[in-house]
Amino acid sequence: MKNSLFVLSIIALTGCQTVEPWERGILAKEEMQWQASTMEARFRQQMFNSKEASSGTSGAAGGGCGCN
Amino acid sequence: MKYAFKAMGGPCVFRIKARSEHIAYHHAQAAHEEVLRLERRYSRYREDSITSTINASAGKNSVSIDEETYRLLNYADTAFKVSGGLFDLTSGVLRRCWDFRSQTLPNQDEVERTLTRVGWAGVRFSKDEVFLPDIGMEIDFGGVVKEYAVDAALALLKKRKVEGALVDLAGDIGAFSNGFGTPWDIGIKHPRSPEKAVATVQLANSALASSGDYERCIVIGDRRYSHILNPKTGWPTNNAPLAVSILAPNCLVAGSSATIAMLMHSSAARAWLSELGIPWLLVDSDLNTYGTLAGI
Amino acid sequence: MGSNTLDKAKSPALAALLSSAVLLPAYQSAEADAPPESTEIGFRYGKYQEDTVAGSDTLSGQKSERYDIDVAQFSLIAPVGDSWSVGLTGQWESMSGASPWFSLYGADGQQKVIMSGASIEDRRAEYGVEARYFHDEGNVGFNYVNSEEDDYHSDSVGADASLNSADGLRTYTLALSASVDKITPTQGVAPTNTLKADKDIHSIWVGVSQIINDRSIFNLGLGYTQRQGYLTDPYKYRDNRPDNREELVLSGGYRHFFDDQNGALQTDYRYFIDSWDVESHTLELAWVQNLNNDIQVTPFVRGYNQSQANFYSDVAVDTGGYYSDDHRLSSYSAVSFGLRLKKNFGPWRVSATAERYESAEGRWRYSQVPNKALVDFWGYSLGFTYNF
C-alpha cells in the first residue's frame, strides 16, 4: 500500500503540465479545494476521532477534548 | 455576471465568472475602483491628476512622479521609437486647432505654431521626475491609460483568482478564461455599420484594442480628415486607415499598435502590421478589409 | 485557430513594446498570497445520534440508548489590512446518554456489554483564535484553542506555514501543535480510574499540494503525533493503557474537475499506524455535482478499517500490564455514506449534510471477532455562511 502510494505520486508529479495563472479559474472553485467547509469538516472529524482509534487528517493534531 | 458602468469616456462592462454572483460583484467593484483610480490619476480634465500637474509646470519646473507613471512614460518612449516618432504623447495640444464639429479645416499658421509645442523627443524624464521643456507643452496619457486600465483591471481579477473575466472599457477589451478555460468570443464592429461584425476573435488570455475614426472626422468633398493627428505634420495622415483592430498579449500593446497603424498610409500600415506578427485587422477608406483577422 | 493565435516569433518592434509594458505594476506577479477579500461569518448546528445497543448484546438483556450529542458551531474569518486575517471559532456541545462501561462473557459465552447508566447532560465549550500573515510566497498562521468541560480541560497552540513554489504550481505546508490537557473525571455511581491526571500532545505535519493540470490537483502528507501522560479511559471499569503513544499518518488526496458533467471527483486516503499496533486505512470518495440555480449536491462514501491495539481484548482482564476492552481499540471496519446539499442565496451559503455510519462485521483482513459495543450512528448538520 505504501509503495503504490509512492509510485502514484511520482507519476502524478512527472505528468504535470504548466498551468498559467489565468488558466487556474477552475482550480479556484470550492469543490477543487482540499477542505470546503471547515466547520463541517471539524464536526465530522470529531465524530470519527471519537469513535475510531485513528486521528489526523491534514495539519497538526491540535487540541484534545474528553470526547467520548 | 455582468457589471456595467461609465468611465474612460464610454460605456464599460465587466463580465466575471466566480463562485457566486455575490463574490463576482465584490471583485467587479474592486476592479471598477482600480479603473477609476487610473482615470483620476491620469485624466487631463481633473485638476488633481498628475497630468494636470505636469502640464501646469511645463517650461517651468520638473514634477516628481511615481513608479507607475515612470513606467508609462518609458512605455510611451518605446512606442515613440518603434513607430518612428508617430506615437507621441505630446501631440494632444493639436486638438486646439481642430474643430471636428464645425467641419472646417484649421488655419495652417495656427497648426504650425501649435506644432512647435509638440515633440516627445524634448521630454526629459527619469525614475523620479518628468520635465516638459516648453510652456504650452502638454502630455496626454489618453493614448495609453485606457488600454493600461484594461490590463490593470484584468490583473486585479486574476490576482483574486476568479474563474474567468472579461474587461471592456469603451471598446478596448481584455479577457481570460470564460469559466471553463474556454476563450471569450468577441465580434469586431464594422466601422460603418456597428451592428455588423466585420470579424470575430477569441480571447483566451489576450486583449483586443481598436482604433477608428468612424465617429469623429471632417469630410470635405470626397476627402476625409481623421481626428487622429500626425505629430509631425499636425494633420491626419493622407489615406490613413478607417479602422484598425489588434489582438495582443495585453491591451496596452494592442492599443498603441492600433494607434500607430492609424497614423500611417493604409498600405504602409498593412505592411507594418503584418511585420509586427500579431493578429490584425485593417479597414481602409474604401471599406476593404485586410489582415489575419479578416474573413473569420 | 491559426490566425487568431499569437505567434511565438516576435518582430523586434513587438518585442520592444512587450518588454517595456511588462515592467508596469499591473503586469507584475499575479500570484502573491493574499488574505480573503471579504469577511465570512458562519453558524452550524449538528446532531450526532448513536443507535441503541440491542438487548441481546447487553448483560442485563435490556436494550440501551447510547450517546447523543448536539453541537453548535460559530466561525468568523476577517481580513485585516492587506496582509493579515483573523479568525475566531466557537463550539458548544451538549452530550447525554450511556456509553459502554465494561464487558463480560455471558452465560452463552458471548461478549456482553455493561452500559453506564444514562448520564446527566454534559457540556463542552471550545474557543479558538487564529491570526494569519500573508506574504508574496505564502502565509503563516498561529492559533490557540481552549476546550472546557466539567471533567476535561485542554489548552493548545499551533503554528503553520505554507510556501508556494515560484511557478505557483506547488505548495508546501508545515504545521506544528502542542496541547496540555487536564482530566478530572466526574465521580458517579461507579469509581473512576483516576481522580486527576494530565496529558500532553505534540504533533507535526508536512504536506505538499501539486497542480497537475488545469483540471486536477494532488496532495501528499505526513504527520507524526506523540501523546504522553494519562491515556487510559477514566470511565472504563477495566482499562489500563501505556502512558505513551506515537502515531504516524500518511495521506494523499486528489481532485479532478469534469467539464462535461460540471462536477468534481474528490478522493482522500489516509494510512495510520501507531505504537499500540493500531493500523488503519481510510478512503473517502465524493462526487460534487453542480446544478442550476446555484445548487450543489454531493453524495459521498467513506470506508474505514482498523486493526486492534496490542493490549485489547473484548473482555478486559487485569493481567498486571496493559489491558482494555474499549471497542474503539478493537479490530473492525466501518462504512459511512451521506449526502450534502449546498445552495447560494446572494451572500448566504446554506449547506445541509446527513451521514450514516455503520460498523461492518467480519469483512476485512484485520477483523477477528467484532466487539459487540461497536457503534452505528447518524450525523446531521445544517449551517450557513454569510459574506460581507
Side-chain angles (χ1 to χ4, degrees), chain C residues 30-321:
Chain C
E31 280 310 294
D33 236 18
E37 283 92 40
S38 59
T39 299
E40 185 182 273
I41 194 169
F43 285 97
R44 197 166 190 91
Y45 166 73
K47 192 169 181 65
Y48 167 84
Q49 249 175 350
E50 291 179 355
D51 282 5
T52 52
V53 185
S56 54
D57 289 333
T58 63
L59 192 72
S60 62
Q62 303 270 338
K63 70 175 184 196
S64 168
E65 273 197 337
R66 294 190 72 160
Y67 233 50
D68 215 301
I69 308 179
D70 286 290
V71 182
Q73 294 172 298
F74 162 78
S75 145
L76 171 72
I77 300 181
V80 174
D82 284 331
S83 323
W84 288 85
S85 75
V86 162
L88 237 57
T89 56
Q91 188 160 314
W92 301 271
E93 294 162 23
S94 140
M95 312 159 256
S96 64
S99 44
W101 183 23
F102 65 103
S103 292
L104 291 173
Y105 290 115
D108 58 1
Q110 297 290 308
Q111 176 207 355
K112 299 289 179 197
V113 183
I114 292 106
M115 300 293 285
S116 69
S119 63
I120 312 155
E121 209 167 86
D122 289 329
R123 298 211 135 103
R124 184 174 87 92
E126 182 191 277
Y127 298 100
V129 60
E130 180 189 89
R132 187 162 296 273
Y133 173 68
F134 294 84
H135 56 88
D136 284 343
E137 279 87 41
N139 62 77
V140 181
F142 301 95
N143 68 73
Y144 166 72
V145 178
N146 169 275
S147 169
E148 298 283 348
E149 303 166 69
D150 279 344
D151 60 354
Y152 203 102
H153 169 110
S154 169
D155 284 297
S156 79
V157 291
D160 67 87
S162 280
L163 206 67
N164 300 324
S165 64
D167 58 10
L169 295 178
R170 195 175 301 172
T171 303
Y172 303 95
T173 307
L174 171 70
L176 297 160
S177 79
S179 82
V180 169
D181 297 357
K182 290 188 181 354
I183 309 159
T184 48
T186 309
Q187 302 304 305
V189 171
T192 62
N193 287 326
T194 184
L195 290 175
K196 195 166 97 115
D198 290 339
K199 173 160 83 182
D200 290 345
I201 304 172
H202 298 96
S203 180
I204 181 170
W205 169 272
V206 291
V208 60
S209 164
Q210 170 85 40
I211 291 177
I212 300 170
N213 58 45
D214 60 356
R215 293 292 180 271
S216 34
I217 48 173
F218 174 91
N219 83 39
L220 280 180
L222 181 67
Y224 170 77
T225 302
Q226 185 184 56
R227 298 173 204 269
Q228 277 173 316
Y230 191 78
L231 305 180
T232 300
D233 187 329
Y235 297 110
K236 297 247 183 277
Y237 184 56
R238 286 193 210 108
D239 197 294
N240 186 31
R241 308 181 195 189
D243 56 11
N244 193 295
R245 183 180 186 189
E246 291 182 286
E247 305 166 7
L248 197 72
V249 166
L250 259 149
S251 70
Y254 181 69
R255 302 277 178 275
H256 190 105
F257 190 83
F258 294 86
D259 288 9
D260 294 337
Q261 287 77 15
N262 193 7
L265 178 71
Q266 302 178 330
T267 163
D268 295 284
Y269 169 76
R270 174 189 65 183
Y271 171 75
F272 173 99
I273 189 161
D274 75 4
S275 56
W276 290 358
D277 283 344
V278 174
E279 194 183 4
S280 79
H281 302 272
T282 312
L283 181 66
E284 295 192 73
L285 282 163
W287 172 259
V288 182
Q289 179 65 60
N290 290 300
L291 300 170
N292 294 337
N293 301 321
D294 264 341
I295 296 176
Q296 208 180 60
V297 178
T298 305
F300 59 90
V301 72
R302 178 181 185 271
Y304 179 78
N305 149 347
Q306 73 175 38
S307 69
Q308 65 188 49
N310 55 29
F311 52 84
Y312 162 84
S313 58
D314 57 358
V315 171
V317 175
D318 185 343
T319 57

Side-chain angles (χ1 to χ4, degrees), chain B residues 7-12 35 38-39 42 72 141-153 167-174 208-211 251-252 255, chain C residues 27:
Chain B
M8 299 286 176
C12 304
V35 171
L38 287 168
E39 193 175 48
Y42 295 104
L72 280 171
F141 284 97
V144 288
V145 77
K146 178 147 85 88
E147 292 85 351
Y148 178 60
V150 169
D151 294 330
V167 171
D168 178 347
L169 299 183
D172 288 327
I173 305 173
L208 179 77
S210 307
S211 201
C251 204
L252 186 57
Chain C
Y27 310 102

